[in-house]
Amino acid sequence: MTTLTEAVRAGRTAEVVGLLDDMTDAERRGFFPELKALRKELRATRWDGPSRRAYPALYVAGVACQTGAAGVASWIAAADMRWPGVSPAVLLRVLADREAGWLADLANRLAQRPATAQVPYELMSALVRLAGCPVPTTDAYVRGWVQQVGGNWRRGNTLLERLRTDPHLAPLVAALFEVNDIGSLLEWAADEGPASWHGALAQLTAGGPLDRRATVDACVARLLRGGTSADHRAFLRVLTSLALTREEQRERVADWVALASDAVSPVASHAQSVLGALALDGQLTHRHLAEVSEAVLFRPERKLVRAQLVLLGKVLARDAAAADELLPAIAQAFGHEDPGVQERALKLAQRHVKKVRSAEVRAELASTADELIPPLRAQAVRSLGAAPAEVAPVYEEVLPLVPEPTRLAPAAGSVVELAEEVGAALASDTDVTGFERALDGLVRHAHRDRDALLEALEPVISRQWWDGADPFYDLRLEHQFSDVRGGFDGFAGLDLLLITLRGKLSTTGLHAAIRPGAPHRTCAHGALSQPFEARLWEVAYRIRTDPLPFLLSTPTWSTGLLEPDELVQRLDAYRRLGARVSAADFAQALLRVRRGNRPAAESAAERAAALGTAEGKRLAHWLTTGAPVLPAIRRRTSGPRILAESGELPELQEDFPDAFRALGRPAGAFAESRYCAHWSGSAHPHWLAVLPELRELVAVRILRDLSAVAVDDSRSAASVLPLLAESGGEAGEATHLCVAYGLGARHPEDRLAAVDALLVLAARGQLDAVRLGADLGELVRRGAVKPLRLAESLRTAASTGAYATVWGLLGHALPPLLSDLAADGPAGPVRGLGDLLGVAAECAERSGARGDLPHLARAADRRGSSRLVAEARRLRGALAPEVAA
């Protein structure tokens, strides 16, 4: 007879089940060690044909041959057992002879597994049915139940009918309100009626098996707990479908107050409407109404705030006695960020202030009026008795301290310390400082004792994806690394050196990568990536053939700058050691050496010339020529984008290796290959360190990447902006355009990075407010930057104390946008222009800016009370207070 193990290997599941039926428990247990060994064997070749045939049979056999419920549960839920495709009915057949208590234990253990384990709900529910045990209410079980009941539409009946016949309805519905992130599953069913979850649950509480009070309490508690947007939508629909009576609403006043105060906008709006109806029916005390109003009026959502002010106005019109309690709550809106809300609140207070009987309330209103914007505060002086504004002190701009670069510490002195640094750098995708220290350390220790270095690096290398013993895989690895030139960042650069040390790249392949004219996949970033990679390939080749004692180009500072005295000392050490200089390493050192400090550069040039070496003479000439004059930058347009291109820089093409010469060639705005391996932006900081005194040449070539964060809503490219602002050289056309796109980025973290860059440029005295403001205005008009995003960025920058800086930008960004408000202009005002005007008004008020802003009067004289008009009038009043008065 064919043994069980042979049948499992052959993948004959039906035969396996038959063999198991004829075995005793002891015989099954005796086969389990063989099954464990087979499972271990199959893991190594999980995806080949024989393994895939064997897994379903192995799955069934492993379940049947274990006696412990814990072991069976682990076998069923194991990651390598998730795809055999065995029907739960087959598993139930081999488990049917177990005792009810054992089956209940197994069902609960499976239900305790996370939903990601993908244990079939049909199996868990069948085990519960066979065991006759209470239904589990775990996350995985409830999710499986929702998917099974809600998706079983092929039976022809409605969700309501399926739920009504479920014997475990009450405990599962109660658990439904406790499961996180379940809302998306509840929205799968039809939208309305008995085929939807909210409609079915409402009908089941009307006269069915569900307790209405418990269901309402659970739904309200679920909304109070919060969660994902899908959860809010789903449970809010359940709550509204329950159609609470006035009595049920009145019993939960404290819950409505909490929801109106802290819940997301849709839920808060519903709670606000419930409280409003109670208040207008006289079933809500003035104290409760004041309590919720203070919380709602503090919220940023203008729609909620305005609705609350309307409600307060209706209550005050009906009941004059409410003024003493409600007007202090209305005064909370005096400090709202929207001047339109402030104006509404002030008018409401002015209308009902005569009804106030308490002198303390009147004094409180007068003191709170200090938070109003200046034009409204002037009105409050007359109507509420507020104190006149004191003479404002002379405005003083607050900018961050100029960031100081950090000096690189010496390379790790021991191989153990170096291995720790390399492991940390690989795990965290290190910055320029960590990468350069690790790179220099690998070069130094490979020169001193390669065997000791490899031994210390063994724990690091063994964790890398490329480390294996398959020779064919090594060939593919060499082809892959030699084929991706153009896609290295610091992370992959360290990998290249470790692979070389491990001996997985041939000397022939390394030499092919460094020979002149070696092919490179290139793109718009090729001029920046090729020098960075050329140094790495040459270092790797020298590690194999003639190890370098240390790197000449390791920077002194975190920005990539190299002090000229240090480079002279390194060249002198090379001369004394008789070491051969690496061409790419020396070229990178020249590009990094500081030339801006002319006395230090000229002094170092004399010592370099005295070395008597070719490299010393080259360095002396380089230091005495001074910093190059940047080529002209020309603007180009592409759809909504404004891009830039640069001319030729001959100095970077003379006496440099082939891979470096592209840095001096013209940079086109549209010359890019379809292939680009730099999509992540992780290499951008390393490119800045290639040219630490010529950031404008880097900015030109990464400008399209930066434009994508605003135009295409991509993420993370703007993270380089603070480093760009801290880098050296002129901050010109391309640098300012990069910052402009970052200020209009889709994602908040990118906008914050742009704000940091803006403030750093301002603190260093390198911000051209006229240029950046004009760029922002043009980008908004072209649709590349959305005004609401820009307003948020500039509001954040201003809130740090840089009101004059932000006003300087907006003073040049707003005129072209305001000019479009002319009757014969484009279709209408740009959406979000009112928000920009609001930021400008606040900056003008706080910084004391005065003067005339072109086209502002036309916007302020428009009819209506929209935010755009209100903010235009506010800005006009701030710029010309004597006219506003």
Side-chain angles (χ1 to χ4, degrees):
M1 183 180 71
T2 304
T3 66
L4 178 66
T5 305
E6 291 174 347
V8 169
R9 281 186 178 278
R12 298 191 290 269
T13 305
E15 183 180 340
V16 168
V17 173
L19 291 171
L20 291 169
D21 286 342
D22 296 335
M23 291 181 183
T24 64
D25 287 346
E27 289 174 333
R28 291 182 180 183
R29 287 196 298 271
F31 269 107
F32 187 64
E34 294 183 33
L35 298 176
K36 286 179 64 179
L38 178 58
R39 179 185 179 186
K40 184 177 181 181
E41 176 187 330
L42 295 181
R43 279 200 192 111
T45 57
R46 184 180 177 189
W47 303 106
D48 65 10
S51 296
R52 298 182 66 168
R53 281 195 304 272
Y55 259 112
L58 176 64
Y59 186 48
V60 175
V63 169
C65 293
Q66 297 183 77
T67 55
V72 173
S74 296
W75 188 276
I76 291 174
D80 58 334
M81 294 292 181
R82 289 178 190 167
W83 55 272
V86 176
S87 168
V90 178
L91 297 182
L92 292 170
R93 176 177 170 179
V94 299
L95 294 172
D97 58 346
R98 308 294 177 99
E99 296 179 354
W102 189 95
L103 293 173
D105 187 15
L106 177 60
N108 280 281
R109 288 179 182 276
L110 290 175
Q112 291 291 341
R113 296 281 173 168
T116 53
Q118 301 175 16
V119 177
Y121 169 76
E122 296 86 347
L123 175 62
M124 293 188 288
S125 61
L127 290 170
V128 170
R129 185 172 61 254
L130 288 174
C133 63
V135 64
T137 55
T138 63
D139 182 278
Y141 196 93
V142 174
R143 287 179 183 276
W145 173 69
V146 170
Q147 290 174 302
Q148 176 72 12
V149 176
N152 203 2
W153 52 271
R154 292 185 179 87
R155 292 171 51 183
N157 51 7
T158 64
L159 176 63
L160 173 62
E161 293 166 337
R162 295 194 293 274
L163 290 174
R164 197 183 293 279
T165 59
D166 193 315
H168 304 294
L169 177 66
L172 288 173
V173 169
L176 181 67
F177 292 101
E178 300 296 328
V179 175
N180 291 325
D181 198 16
I182 193 75
S184 57
L185 295 180
L186 299 180
E187 293 178 334
W188 280 3
D191 288 339
E192 301 298 337
S196 66
W197 275 97
H198 59 275
L201 291 176
Q203 293 194 41
L204 290 171
T205 62
L210 292 181
D211 180 82
R212 179 174 175 83
R213 184 179 185 85
T215 304
V216 172
D217 286 344
C219 190
V220 173
R222 184 66 182 80
L223 291 172
L224 283 168
R225 197 173 81 226
T228 64
S229 58
D231 285 350
H232 288 128
R233 287 195 307 270
F235 291 111
L236 180 59
R237 294 187 76 177
V238 173
L239 183 62
T240 54
S241 297
L242 290 170
L244 273 59
T245 65
R246 186 67 78 214
E247 180 62 27
E248 289 173 324
Q249 292 175 342
R250 189 167 55 249
E251 291 174 353
R252 296 171 176 81
V253 167
D255 293 330
W256 306 129
V257 171
L259 289 172
S261 304
D262 300 320
V264 296
S265 290
V267 178
S269 179
H270 175 76
Q272 183 187 47
S273 65
V274 172
L275 291 170
L278 291 174
L280 294 176
D281 288 348
Q283 299 181 38
L284 187 69
T285 65
H286 295 157
R287 180 179 61 82
H288 273 128
L289 181 57
E291 179 183 349
V292 70
S293 296
E294 289 180 354
V296 171
L297 296 177
F298 188 74
R299 295 182 64 121
E301 300 96 330
R302 293 192 290 269
K303 183 178 179 181
L304 289 176
V305 173
R306 289 172 179 172
Q308 194 68 22
L309 290 174
V310 170
L311 171 63
L312 290 170
K314 291 179 179 179
V315 174
L316 287 168
R318 294 184 180 189
D319 187 359
D324 284 82
E325 286 198 81
L326 297 186
L327 281 183
I330 292 172
Q332 295 297 313
F334 288 175
H336 197 275
E337 63 181 22
D338 183 359
V341 169
Q342 292 188 21
E343 186 176 8
R344 286 171 180 257
L346 178 59
K347 288 181 179 179
L348 190 58
Q350 290 171 332
R351 189 179 307 127
H352 298 284
V353 69
K354 295 180 180 179
K355 301 175 183 178
V356 174
R357 289 170 291 182
S358 168
E360 294 180 356
V361 171
R362 288 179 177 272
E364 182 180 352
L365 289 173
S367 63
T368 310
D370 290 345
E371 301 180 24
L372 292 165
I373 60 175
L376 297 179
R377 183 174 179 181
Q379 298 179 29
V381 170
R382 299 187 295 269
S383 59
L384 301 182
E390 298 178 359
V391 177
V394 177
Y395 173 75
E396 187 172 338
E397 184 84 343
V398 178
L399 292 173
L401 295 176
V402 176
E404 295 292 336
T406 57
R407 180 180 282 272
L408 265 69
S414 69
V415 290
V416 175
E417 182 185 355
L418 174 62
E420 293 177 353
E421 289 187 6
V422 171
L426 290 172
S428 61
D429 196 10
T430 186
D431 59 8
V432 171
T433 300
F435 168 72
E436 292 291 346
R437 287 194 69 236
L439 182 66
D440 189 38
L442 288 171
V443 170
R444 289 174 183 269
H445 287 285
H447 180 266
R448 293 174 190 169
D449 190 341
R450 176 176 173 173
D451 293 338
L453 174 61
L454 271 172
E455 182 180 353
L457 287 172
E458 180 61 34
V460 177
I461 292 176
S462 63
R463 293 195 299 265
Q464 296 306 103
W465 60 270
W466 43 260
D467 191 49
D470 187 348
F472 177 72
Y473 187 76
D474 288 351
L475 290 175
R476 290 195 301 165
L477 179 67
E478 177 160 349
H479 174 73
Q480 179 177 348
F481 258 79
S482 62
D483 193 48
V484 297
R485 290 192 297 276
F488 277 162
D489 54 12
F491 188 91
L494 293 179
D495 263 331
L496 173 63
L497 264 65
L498 295 180
I499 290 171
T500 302
L501 287 167
R502 191 64 144 180
K504 290 182 174 291
L505 293 179
S506 67
T507 305
T508 302
L510 291 170
H511 183 264
I514 67 169
R515 71 176 185 270
H520 288 265
R521 280 183 175 178
T522 189
C523 58
H525 314 102
L528 299 169
S529 64
Q530 289 176 26
F532 177 74
E533 293 160 17
R535 182 174 64 132
L536 291 171
W537 283 106
E538 196 162 295
V539 167
Y541 177 72
R542 291 290 296 273
I543 283 177
R544 177 65 57 79
T545 59
D546 181 17
L548 297 166
F550 52 83
L551 290 176
L552 295 172
S553 58
T554 301
T556 307
W557 303 101
S558 56
T559 58
L561 269 178
L562 171 60
E563 292 298 338
D565 282 343
E566 288 193 32
L567 182 53
V568 173
Q569 292 170 10
R570 293 173 188 175
L571 286 175
D572 188 30
Y574 261 66
R575 179 184 61 80
R576 286 185 278 104
L577 292 171
R580 183 166 58 89
V581 172
S582 162
D585 184 37
F586 182 59
Q588 178 61 91
L590 291 178
L591 294 177
R592 283 180 171 168
V593 71
R594 186 195 296 272
R595 295 194 287 173
N597 185 342
R598 296 311 304 154
E602 291 170 1
S603 174
E606 293 180 5
R607 293 192 297 277
L611 294 176
T613 62
E615 290 79 18
K617 294 177 181 178
R618 175 80 171 94
L619 174 60
H621 175 72
W622 180 258
L623 290 174
T624 53
T625 56
V629 177
L630 282 175
I633 303 293
R634 188 175 64 163
R635 297 161 67 100
R636 300 289 298 274
T637 59
S638 174
R641 287 175 167 87
I642 300 175
L643 301 176
E645 57 187 19
S646 65
E648 192 171 23
L649 191 60
E651 184 181 19
L652 296 186
Q653 300 182 56
E654 300 168 356
D655 298 326
F656 274 95
D658 181 67
F660 287 75
R661 291 174 185 168
L663 289 170
R665 298 186 185 119
F670 311 109
E672 56 179 288
S673 168
R674 286 170 32 185
Y675 172 85
C676 181
H678 308 105
W679 52 269
S680 70
S682 58
H684 291 173
H686 299 283
W687 294 343
L688 280 169
V690 170
L691 293 169
E693 284 193 316
L694 292 170
R695 62 176 156 197
E696 192 71 1
L697 294 185
V698 180
V700 166
R701 291 176 168 89
I702 65 172
L703 181 56
R704 180 172 281 274
D705 299 344
L706 268 297
S707 71
V709 301
V711 179
D712 302 325
D713 294 348
S714 66
R715 187 191 292 270
S716 79
S719 61
V720 74
L721 286 176
L723 298 178
L724 183 66
E726 294 172 23
S727 191
E730 179 185 343
E733 187 94 16
T735 298
H736 282 75
L737 276 172
C738 285
V739 174
Y741 283 118
L743 293 172
R746 162 68 176 83
H747 298 285
E749 63 270 24
D750 286 321
R751 293 198 295 271
L752 284 175
V755 169
D756 287 345
L758 170 69
L759 296 176
V760 168
L761 287 174
R764 297 182 70 185
Q766 297 172 341
L767 178 67
D768 187 335
V770 176
R771 168 181 282 164
L772 182 55
D775 286 343
L776 289 171
E778 183 62 23
L779 289 173
V780 169
R781 294 186 76 189
R782 298 179 66 87
V785 167
K786 292 179 172 56
L788 289 174
R789 300 176 185 173
L790 177 59
E792 183 177 340
S793 296
L794 295 181
R795 187 180 294 113
T796 301
S799 66
T800 66
Y803 293 100
T805 297
V806 175
W807 166 248
L809 300 179
L810 287 171
H812 295 90
L814 287 172
L817 303 178
L818 292 173
S819 69
D820 292 341
L821 293 178
D824 55 350
V830 177
R831 182 175 178 270
L833 180 55
D835 293 81
L836 282 175
L837 286 169
V839 177
E842 181 178 7
C843 291
E845 290 165 355
R846 290 181 176 267
S847 65
R850 297 291 184 269
D852 179 50
L853 189 68
H855 311 292
L856 176 62
R858 183 183 302 151
D861 291 338
R862 289 165 65 93
R863 295 181 180 179
S865 58
S866 67
R867 185 172 191 194
L868 187 152
V869 174
E871 297 289 8
R873 292 169 182 168
R874 175 189 174 191
L875 178 56
R876 181 172 62 177
L879 294 175
E882 64 283 353
V883 175

